[in-house]
Amino acid sequence: MAAEKAEIDALKKECDGLRTKIEAARKAVNDSTMTDAAGGVDTVGRVQLKLRKTLKGHLAKIYAMHWAADSRQMVSASQDGKLLIWDTFTGNKLIAVPLKSAWVMSVAFAPSGNLVASGGLDNICTVYNIKSASPKTLRELDAHTGYLSCCRFLSDSEILTASGDTTCCLWDLETGKQKIIFTNHIGDCMSLALSPDGNTFISGACDSLAKLWDLREGTCKQTFSGHTSDINAISFFPSGNAVITGSDDCSCKMYDLRADQEVTGYQDTSLNAGVTSLALSNSGRLIFAGYDDFNCHIWDTLKGEKVGVLSGHDNRVSCTGVPEDGMGVCTGSWDSFLKLWN
Amino acid sequence: MDKGGWHRQQMSCFRKMEKLIVAMQDPDMGIKMRNQRLLITVIPHAMTGRDVIDWLIQKYRMCEEEALHLGGMLVRYGYIYPLKEPRSLVLRADETPYRFQTPYFWTSTRWPASEIDYAIYLAKKNIRKQGELMEYEKERYSLLHKRINHTWDFVVMQAREQLRASKQRRKADRIVLECQEQAYWLINRPQPGAHNILDVGLERPNNFSSRVTLNSDYYKSEIEACRRALGRNRVKSSICLEGFVKFSEQYQNHDPIMQGCLPSNPWISDDSAHWTMNAEMVPTPTRLRVERWSFSFRELLNDVMGRREFMTYLEKEFSAENLCFWQACENIRHGESSRIVEKVEEVYKAFLAPGAARWVNIDSKTMAHTLEGLKHPHRFVMDAAQMHIYFLMKKDSYPRYLKSDLYKNMLARAIVPQETKKSVFPFMRRQRHSSPSPAQAFTQVLEEDGRAQAGTNAAGSHV
């Protein structure tokens, strides 16, 4: 036993040594700050977005939402045991998908618009065909040993899931089997996002780390630290060269993939609630971050300043999303409403 | 029930709020407190809702709305409680009196609130005055009585003892303590229907715990990963950061939230013209869309119309097979698994085999590598070859396309939509069926002007 412990201690020491060297290498290329780089950029002033629509229909807390690729349809998931597919332009509910398990935590729309997926405490990612006469269960992806926190389609053939069992997984929808299991996190995976070029994805977890993975090789390519609590939300900067994270430590951070380090932090002493979700405007200039304090706060990505707030929800903002065409931002809340702003 | 995870995540938020609360009570820089008359008793160290908001506005240079929200949170979490209407846990921006909760009764201090303490509290209320318990409190009281029946004597004894001790205090102190205690329980055992700050949503059964054992295997693989990470190429921050700034600037006009959009933002105007004009295939694309094709090769390829235009250009140059090959590879990468082998076979025959009809020019090393991979075809077997052709097009054909007449003409022909005239707005449409009085119509236009202005100024840089 003692020998084992001694071995682990030695290995841990070696590991820490390497991590220190990595930090030094990162510092060596850190020859500028975002403040300097964005010095010449105009401020955005006070960003005041108006509430354009409120979508009512869920009967309990909304846990997740996802825009369809057409930027018009959207799917939302609620603890009332339903997925609702909305035409956000008219405000109509197009389809209601009843769920086997009401404890849903995540929902996704396939780029084709043919499929939606959801999952939660049942540990299963269920994929539904919504183009059939009535929504049909296409697949039940059941192999995770922990809750499903996030799912995203790559196409109608493949889907990525993140789970409380600390792994992410790439599934083949035709066979319903796991293709690649991404293991490296040591805490529950809470969120994932696909890169704009489709070759990599990022995940945020309760070990307060964000990791970049290669979809083909199945390996972790980069790890980013800095947060002091669970990372609940993660997204790519639209150029694909940076990662934005939101955490229970009440802050958001931007990590540069090429410089391999944190670039800016977004925090404010007046913000005392955890970040639940985030989304970026199409130019990447604005970050919309949903917080436990019922508001969605708006950050200037380049200047690192809080530039606005979307308030109107009567409970925690649990999900945030900007559609592909960037027309506005949608917030979903435990108050059972979805609101569209721009 | 294990609430370890919640405890960890909420504690840091509580600590932050507590820092703020302590600053608010600073003798020099904090809120100026005063005595508050409550019926016939004078309560010391009280402040008004207005005081709280003004202090927050001044300290954080925020607007009234935000200060109201932040102050409201402090009330909801029990750090400040209202003196007059204890059950109404809202912050009012007026003369309504509030007090700071004593740290003894902070949710974080006495977390988790214990059942026995709650029972004692309810018992005290019950003993002090018959019928003082509210309906939901009576229900809970009898539930507790069943559940912790074995310690009930202790509960009643404690309740009587605390009541006796409180009678010894000065009336003002007694009232203050009762208010504080009541405020604590309103937060930690909220009324049914009231907002529950302890609500954490779905209890996540798994915690940052036993799943991954940090044993020697784990550290060995971590060391491997660290060694690889150490060797990676890192780009200078200055270059990367400049990239982000440039990207944001380049895309600013293409960001409807930042700059509005033409002819109008459908969410605002209820007119879907923008979507119609920007559908996947249209006779003439919009100018912004064609501009984006020049931002990066990926933008061009991601747009169906862009690809079609580029294909037309390549056909003129007799290198269309490159784009066809690239598209066929994309088809393999993102298509059904069951058809991969079949598709790979087709691609090889059409593009790579000696004498193929649409032979693509890849270097010998990549070709050898690909041929090897073809023995066991999989989704990514064409990646190397596809990448080679991608870069070929990107470095060579793409820049020339952007300089070509084909592109320039497309850009010149591209539509710049007119901003939707106000008469298209729904309110005006409705009016058409009745004949509006000129005065009404005039007011309508003014209103819309205001709204339209607000819409387009949504995120503009105005002071």
Side-chain angles (χ1 to χ4, degrees), chain B residues 101-107 109-110:
Chain B
Q101 179 63 287
T102 172
Y104 177 77
F105 275 126
W106 284 352
T107 301
T109 313
R110 293 157 61 73

Side-chain angles (χ1 to χ4, degrees), chain B residues 275-294:
Chain B
W275 284 326
T276 320
M277 286 181 185
N278 285 285
E280 232 181 33
M281 298 302 274
V282 284
T284 320
T286 59
R287 195 187 171 92
L288 279 181
R289 181 177 180 176
V290 179
E291 263 176 34
R292 275 201 296 278
W293 298 348
S294 70

